[in-house]
Each structure stands twice: as structure tokens, then as C-alpha cells.
Amino acid sequence: MEHECGTSPDKRDERLALLIWYRFSRIYNQSVRESEQHLKTWDMTVAQFDVIAQIGLNKRLTQGQLAEKLLVTKGNITQLLSRLEQAGLIRREQDWKVKHVSLTDKGKALYEQVVPMQERFQASHFDALDREEKEQFLHLLKKLSARTTE
Amino acid sequence: MEHECGTSPDKRDERLALLIWYRFSRIYNQSVRESEQHLKTWDMTVAQFDVIAQIGLNKRLTQGQLAEKLLVTKGNITQLLSRLEQAGLIRREQDWKVKHVSLTDKGKALYEQVVPMQERFQASHFDALDREEKEQFLHLLKKLSARTTE
DNA sequence: TACCATCAGTTTATATCTAAACTGATGATC
DNA sequence: GATCATCAGTTTAGATATAAACTGATGGTA
């Protein structure tokens, strides 16, 4: 929509942003794939881990709240919970007009074992950065999400 | 999780890295979802866009090369190409023992229309950063991928 | 009481994606 | 020439994800 005449710093800015985007998504996808591998040790997928981690953190929440926290649809939550329920890791209790979800003992045991491991693993992706760089990075990300959210 | 008193900068570093990870993935997922919406205008998904963009860029490549560039499996490429072929956007030519993929005229027209749009859109996610911050960000990402790749 | 909005969760259809098994062609080695 | 490994692409089964239609309960309002 914009033809700048004198070669535009806009164009250069866009080019820079594009490079960022491509690298950003490559890094993200690679990380997810590594996590997938890592979680196989416990026979879990990343999606399942996210659910377990979120329930463990909040102790007890409705399916709708869970969907909202994980930024996925209610339908997706239904499917994921069915599997986790079958595996005996979570429990659903109808409660008035909502269903509360919580971890079973088996689920809690898994939570306490896997979550610290996985968090250490995820954190390790940023080992290449020193403290100051990490703070810089987080700062930039915050600027981005401030913009994305609104 | 944190009883700070004198204690380990390691723990703090891990905590920082975790915050980065969560924000990183939230931003990424949000961006992808927005792209998904944006691409609906052209009846395309993100995966299909990536394929079209990559073929348009390279003019002609084998399915294996395509899989490698997009960091997905050969099986996935087979599935994606079947749809795009059916839609008349790409062409597959058996050539010795490989299949070369290229854009049809219809595919080329779409490519020329959608790619600039979409790139502008993806780039716009980083509008919140000024030039210097973009450069800083890219620099940090490069450090990360240098580590991740090897 | 009858009607109707809304709301939580489910279902269904469709698209991605992987891993692993499979197919068929190429080409090396005996 | 027969056998075998390799390699590109396909197929299949299973997990994830969405959107959109559906179900059933709650609760307001006429």
C-alpha cells in the first residue's frame, strides 16, 4: 500500500521484521519438537503436558477456564480431557452447571515429577544468553505482547 | 516456588528463562492464529501459504527439499501437495527418481498477490519495536538458533 | 406455566502434523 | 543377471487443533 520514493527505511524495516519472524518461528517450532521428544519419556505430548501443568498449578478449575488459560477452544479441551481421564490422570466433577477438573493422585505424582523436569528443559533453550541478554529479550517480548494483546 | 534468601542465581536464571519461554510461545501462537484469520481471505491455511511461498521463492524443487526447507516430514508434504494440486495451484513432475514441484499459472497469480500481503502482515507484528530494538531482537534470536542448530 | 436467551460442554467435519510401515525405482556388488 | 541396500515419495494410524452445530440446564420474563 506504500510506495515510498527515496527507497524508504520502511522497506528496510519490513525486511528486518520479516527476518525476525522467520527466525522466531523456526526457533519456536524446533523447541516444540524437542519438547515433544523429551516428553516421550513420560508417554506424554506437549498438549497433555500443558493441561496437566495448568491443572496442577490451579488445583481445580472449570473446563472453560482451562480453555481460556491455554488459549484453545472448549472442543479441544473436551478431547484432551477425555484422554487424560481415561489414563486416570484427571477427574471431572459436574458441579452446578460447570465441570470442575482436578488431578487424581496418579496425576499429581506425574505433575510433581514431570513439571520441574520440563521447565528445566524449556528454560535450557535460552542458556545461550547471559543474564543481561535474557532480561533484554524478555523486555522486548513484553513490548511485543503489549501491542499484540490490545 | 521461590524462597529467595541468599540463594542461587541459577534458580533466578531459570525462572527468567521460563518467563521468556511462556511469553515467547504465547506470542507465537497468537501470531499464527492471526495469520490464519488473515489468510482466510484467500481461502488458505498457514501451512498452505508456507508451501506456496517456498515454491514461489525457489521456482522448482523436489518434495524432499521442500520438506527440509519447511522443517516438516515428507508425509506431511505429500498430503499438503495433494490438496494444492487438486486446487490447481501446483504441479508435480516425475523426473528421474524425484518429483519436481512448481507453481501453475493460477498458483503464480496467487503467489504474487498473497505473499507480499502476508509478509507485510507478519512483519507488522514487530511494529512495536523501533529499528534498534529490531536489530537487538534479531541478534538475540541468532544467538539462540546458533545454539539450537548444533 | 410457557417461551426464550444464554451458557458449559460435546460432537462432528476438516486440516495439520508425526512416526512408522510400505512401494517402487536405482544402482552396487557378487 | 540375481540380490540387496538405499532413497523419494506414499500411506496409515493417531494426536492436535479449529469452527460450527448441537445438547441440556439455568433462569428470566411474559
Side-chain angles (χ1 to χ4, degrees):
Chain A
M1 304 273 154
E2 306 237 358
H3 339 234
E4 226 35 55
C5 56
T7 69
S8 63
D10 288 6
K11 272 284 169 204
R12 279 190 52 108
D13 250 41
E14 187 184 312
R15 180 149 180 66
L16 190 52
L18 256 184
L19 288 177
I20 291 176
W21 171 255
Y22 287 125
R23 202 170 279 262
F24 192 83
S25 55
R26 206 161 66 242
I27 289 171
Y28 179 77
N29 285 313
Q30 205 147 16
S31 294
V32 169
R33 232 148 283 179
E34 283 171 30
S35 288
E36 203 75 61
Q37 291 306 315
H38 186 243
L39 285 171
K40 265 196 186 150
T41 321
W42 293 275
D43 258 313
M44 288 187 100
T45 64
V46 166
Q48 287 164 3
F49 169 83
D50 286 343
V51 172
I52 295 287
Q54 200 58 239
I55 302 176
L57 185 65
N58 294 277
K59 304 302 176 199
R60 190 158 177 282
L61 59 173
T62 67
Q63 296 194 186
Q65 292 170 328
L66 194 51
E68 203 178 345
K69 283 196 187 285
L70 295 176
L71 301 173
V72 298
T73 58
K74 301 167 297 169
N76 189 4
I77 291 295
T78 297
Q79 295 170 324
L80 285 168
L81 289 182
S82 305
R83 276 195 197 81
L84 293 172
E85 193 173 38
Q86 242 175 346
L89 296 169
I90 63 109
R91 177 179 26 236
R92 285 196 265 199
E93 295 163 286
Q94 183 82 37
D95 199 13
W96 192 55
K97 63 187 264 191
V98 300
K99 286 189 182 174
H100 277 102
V101 189
S102 55
L103 293 178
T104 61
D105 286 347
K106 190 176 166 193
K108 254 177 251 173
L110 187 65
Y111 172 78
E112 272 151 28
Q113 197 190 8
V114 176
V115 169
M117 282 296 196
Q118 181 62 12
E119 291 194 335
R120 198 139 46 231
F121 183 74
Q122 280 165 340
S124 76
H125 288 312
F126 303 97
D127 284 352
L129 307 183
D130 63 29
R131 169 73 62 90
E132 198 190 342
E133 288 171 325
K134 284 197 185 96
E135 272 158 10
Q136 222 174 55
F137 196 50
L138 185 57
H139 171 69
L140 293 171
L141 289 173
K142 278 182 182 167
K143 277 195 102 160
L144 287 182
S145 43
R147 198 223 164 225
T148 323
T149 317
E150 300 159 53
Chain B
M1 302 265 155
E2 299 244 0
H3 344 232
E4 229 30 61
C5 49
T7 65
S8 57
D10 288 5
K11 272 283 170 206
R12 281 189 52 108
D13 250 40
E14 186 183 312
R15 183 152 176 64
L16 190 52
L18 256 184
L19 288 177
I20 291 175
W21 170 253
Y22 287 125
R23 203 169 279 262
F24 193 84
S25 54
R26 207 162 64 242
I27 290 171
Y28 179 79
N29 285 313
Q30 205 147 16
S31 295
V32 168
R33 230 148 289 178
E34 285 171 27
S35 288
E36 203 74 62
Q37 290 308 315
H38 185 243
L39 285 171
K40 265 196 185 150
T41 320
W42 293 274
D43 258 313
M44 289 187 99
T45 64
V46 167
Q48 287 164 3
F49 170 81
D50 286 343
V51 171
I52 295 287
Q54 201 57 241
I55 301 176
L57 186 65
N58 295 276
K59 304 300 178 197
R60 191 158 177 281
L61 25 64
T62 67
Q63 296 195 186
Q65 292 170 328
L66 195 51
E68 203 178 344
K69 284 197 187 282
L70 295 176
L71 300 172
V72 299
T73 58
K74 299 168 295 167
N76 191 4
I77 290 295
T78 296
Q79 296 170 325
L80 285 168
L81 289 183
S82 305
R83 278 195 196 80
L84 293 173
E85 193 173 37
Q86 243 175 346
L89 296 168
I90 62 109
R91 177 180 24 239
R92 286 194 264 199
E93 295 163 285
Q94 183 81 37
D95 199 12
W96 190 56
K97 63 186 265 189
V98 300
K99 286 190 182 173
H100 277 100
V101 190
S102 54
L103 295 178
T104 60
D105 286 346
K106 189 178 167 192
K108 251 176 253 172
L110 187 67
Y111 172 79
E112 273 151 30
Q113 197 191 9
V114 175
V115 168
M117 282 297 197
Q118 182 61 13
E119 290 193 335
R120 199 137 48 226
F121 183 74
Q122 279 165 341
S124 76
H125 290 310
F126 303 98
D127 284 352
L129 307 183
D130 63 29
R131 169 73 64 90
E132 197 188 344
E133 288 170 325
K134 283 196 186 97
E135 271 159 11
Q136 220 174 56
F137 196 50
L138 186 57
H139 171 70
L140 292 171
L141 289 174
K142 278 184 183 167
K143 277 195 101 159
L144 288 181
S145 44
R147 198 219 164 232
T148 323
T149 319
E150 298 159 57

